[in-house]
Structures are given as structure tokens and as C-alpha cells.
Amino acid sequence: MALKASDFRTDVHNDWCPGCGDFGILSAVQMALADLARPRNEIAIVSGIGCSGKSFQYINTYGVHTLHGRLLPFATGVKLANPDLEVIAVGGDGDGLGIGAGHFVNSGRRNLDIAYLFFNNSVYGLTKGQAAPTLKLGMKPKSLPKPNINESINPIALALSSGYTFVGRSYSYDMKHLKEMILKAINHKGFAFLDIHQPCPTYNDLNTKEWYAANDLVDKSGSPTSRLYNLDNSNFDGVVKDGNDSDEITEKMTNAFALSMNTDERLPLGVFYQNEHVPSYEERLSSRVPSYRSSPPGRQLISDSNGVPVANVSALFDELVMS
Ligand code: SF4
């Protein structure tokens, strides 16, 4: 029987603030999972800490609420233990680029087959709106007594330089686009990073729904334009066609970096860069441990009927022996 978005809802009380962009992301995830058409028990949502970290409670799949900044190591462990699971990491910009920045970088270079949905509202909403790493220098949302004194991190540029093989952006209230981007991220072979912009109406009165909806900007040629625009309607193409063509890879990577700089206050939505020709971590591991894919840790018996441990991970430990 086909699954519907409503099959991925739960009865857990939702305490997000009215108007929070998280609602749009939640609905888009549920719609994407319905389209994905995988049984719910084959999906695991791994959440960090923050308002976004509550998401897993509202999605009717397996889920785990982890520690602040540690969602990516948890997601890595879940995926390595059972590579047949669809693992989706869900966390905020404070979680991912503050305390979790080291994991953010190292997850990119490993390139496990995981989708990372990055809730980007530039504040730490759960703890009263302190400046998060994506808040630009000099900005002063109503939650701050003085303008932000730190430079911001560009999450798209950091993801590109860290090795994520899918890097994209969407917006919480463009649910049609967001659903499609979530599906692309999930279906991508390798670590997919999706930067999802979302209003936090309670603490960020700068990047509001109206700010995102602005259509009275002026582009470089002096023509009126909108804040958000869809890369599918431009001639930008970030998808690498030939993994052996280093010129193509360099060109696509360079173009994606330039696009992420966002110098004209517009926000392109879509795929900045995608390269499925890079081996995933699971593929690299399988080449060293041939039994990994057919008998991953999650499919091995932990103990026999008498409770005696039977798991055999010697092949994995053999990898660590120095010759
Ligand atoms: Fe959403 Fe901000 Fe409220 Fe958190 S504090 S639930 S991010 S509106």
C-alpha cells in the first residue's frame, strides 16, 4: 500500500512557536518520505540538540535524539552498523557549525551515504536566540543586545571544501522545492548537505518570511528581482557528469563556491554541486572488508540463546593491525 505524508506524522505534541519555519521543513520531510516509498522501519532520523532536534519526535520512523553537535557521529555509527537503513541527519546551524564544526568537516571527507538536513535560521532558538555561526557580522536580531561581533561561516562553502558530494540549498516555505531537494539529497550516493533557510519569528526579526519573500531587489543589470530564485530556471549546472574529468570537477566546484558568496543579497535555491563519482565510505570499506556489505554489524547476532556474545568483528579489527 502506498504511503502518504500523513503516515509519517506522530501524535507527539509539537511545541515549536507559531510561524516557525521548522513546520515547513517537517511537512516537506514527511512528503518526501511518502514519495521515497520505503517502509518506515528502514528509515532512521538522527537529531541534534535545538528546536530542529525535536523533529525526529514528529516523524513516524525510527529516530534518535543525540547530543549537542554530535548528530553526525551518531548518524555515521547508525549507517555503518546497518548500511541498508536510510539515514537522515537533522540539525541546526548552531549545532552543526558551532560545537559540531569538527564533525561537520570530517563527515564531508568520509562521504557516507547520508542526507544531512541543516536548519539555518542564524540563531540558537532553543536557548533564547544567541548569535549562531551563520549570523553575519554586524547583524542585530532582536534577541541580541548589540550587533554580532563575529564573522559568519558560509555553510555551502564549508561543505564544498569539506568534501560533501552533494551540496544544495532550499527554503522552508517553498515546500514543493524543498521536498524535491530532500529527495535529491536522500537519493544521492554519498554525503548530501542541504542548507535549508528558515525564519525564526521569535528571535530573528531580520530574516523574516517577508525578507525571504522580497521581490523588490535590483540585480546587477538594474532590473527588479526577488530574494529567492531557483537555479533550475538559470543556466547554472552543478552536476558533475564525468568523474574522470578533473577540468569539469574544478569548474563545477569553482562555480559553486562563487555562487555561495551571495554578494548581491539574493539566495539561489537548488543544487550547487553534485558528484556521485566519488566512492562512498561504505564502498571503500567493502573493498577492504569484503563481507561488510553482506554481513554488517547491524545484521550480526550479538549473543546466542544463552546470552553468550557471538559477534565476530575480527575482520574489522584486522584492518587496524599495523604490519
Ligand atoms: Fe522556531 Fe525560533 Fe521558536 Fe525555535 S525559537 S521553535 S526556531 S521560532
Side-chain angles (χ1 to χ4, degrees):
M1 192 177 69
L3 289 165
K4 304 183 292 300
S6 57
D7 293 321
F8 291 92
R9 292 188 196 135
T10 69
D11 295 331
V12 177
H13 170 69
N14 190 317
D15 62 358
W16 285 332
C17 310
C20 177
D22 288 355
F23 287 106
I25 303 173
L26 175 62
S27 295
V29 170
Q30 290 162 332
M31 290 190 294
L33 293 180
D35 281 11
L36 188 68
R38 284 194 70 168
R40 287 175 299 195
N41 64 346
E42 293 180 6
I43 300 166
I45 311 277
V46 182
S47 280
I49 296 293
C51 299
S52 59
K54 300 175 186 175
S55 304
F56 85 99
Q57 302 174 39
Y58 311 137
I59 303 170
N60 192 5
T61 63
Y62 283 123
V64 53
H65 204 174
T66 72
L67 305 174
H68 197 207
R70 310 295 178 233
L71 73 158
L72 295 180
F74 267 88
T76 297
V78 171
K79 186 69 182 180
L80 281 178
N82 187 350
D84 294 328
L85 280 179
E86 198 64 70
V87 178
I88 303 170
V90 174
D93 48 328
D95 183 302
L97 293 180
I99 189 171
H103 299 306
F104 184 104
V105 170
N106 286 289
S107 296
R109 72 191 181 91
R110 290 194 185 102
N111 197 35
L112 277 99
D113 191 6
I114 290 173
Y116 179 16
L117 309 184
F118 181 83
F119 291 40
N120 185 352
N121 58 20
S122 301
V123 292
Y124 287 87
L126 192 67
T127 51
K128 306 276 186 248
Q130 297 88 347
T134 54
L135 188 71
K136 295 209 165 116
L137 175 67
M139 288 182 75
K140 187 193 159 316
K142 63 182 176 182
S143 55
L144 295 188
K146 300 232 168 115
N148 183 23
I149 199 168
N150 293 313
E151 266 293 358
S152 60
I153 294 174
N154 176 338
I156 297 262
L158 187 62
L160 289 166
S161 53
S162 300
Y164 287 84
T165 48
F166 175 103
V167 179
R169 182 192 281 142
S170 192
Y171 172 56
S172 62
Y173 283 128
D174 186 345
M175 281 187 279
K176 187 163 174 288
H177 183 267
L178 179 53
K179 182 197 87 169
E180 293 303 324
M181 288 298 291
I182 291 171
L183 274 173
K184 283 183 184 177
I186 291 173
N187 288 326
H188 170 75
K189 189 207 78 174
F191 223 125
F193 172 75
L194 185 58
D195 177 27
I196 307 172
H197 279 246
Q198 57 142 142
C200 167
T202 301
Y203 295 114
N204 186 340
D205 56 341
L206 303 176
N207 306 122
T208 60
K209 216 170 168 179
E210 293 71 31
W211 182 87
Y212 282 110
N215 57 12
D216 55 355
L217 305 182
V218 177
D219 69 14
K220 287 174 188 141
S221 65
S223 304
T225 188
S226 57
R227 172 97 53 211
L228 304 175
Y229 67 99
N230 190 335
L231 289 172
D232 288 345
N233 300 328
S234 71
N235 54 13
F236 185 89
D237 179 6
V239 180
V240 173
K241 310 289 185 305
D242 182 352
N244 295 316
D245 184 345
S246 58
D247 288 343
E248 185 198 0
I249 294 171
T250 302
E251 183 191 344
K252 299 249 156 106
M253 184 69 80
T254 304
N255 291 343
F257 268 112
L259 193 66
S260 79
M261 293 309 169
N262 186 33
T263 51
D264 61 359
E265 294 300 318
R266 300 180 74 205
L267 285 174
L269 305 181
V271 177
F272 281 57
Y273 180 78
Q274 183 174 19
N275 185 355
E276 287 195 294
H277 306 284
V278 179
S280 68
Y281 190 89
E282 298 90 316
E283 289 172 337
R284 295 175 202 161
L285 190 57
S286 295
S287 70
R288 295 192 186 185
V289 184
S291 62
Y292 170 67
R293 216 50 191 80
S294 59
S295 182
R299 294 202 177 281
Q300 294 183 27
L301 277 180
I302 294 173
S303 61
D304 64 18
S305 56
N306 297 317
V308 177
V310 296
N312 181 0
V313 290
S314 57
L316 292 175
F317 284 117
D318 286 347
E319 265 302 299
L320 304 176
V321 174
M322 296 182 68
S323 53

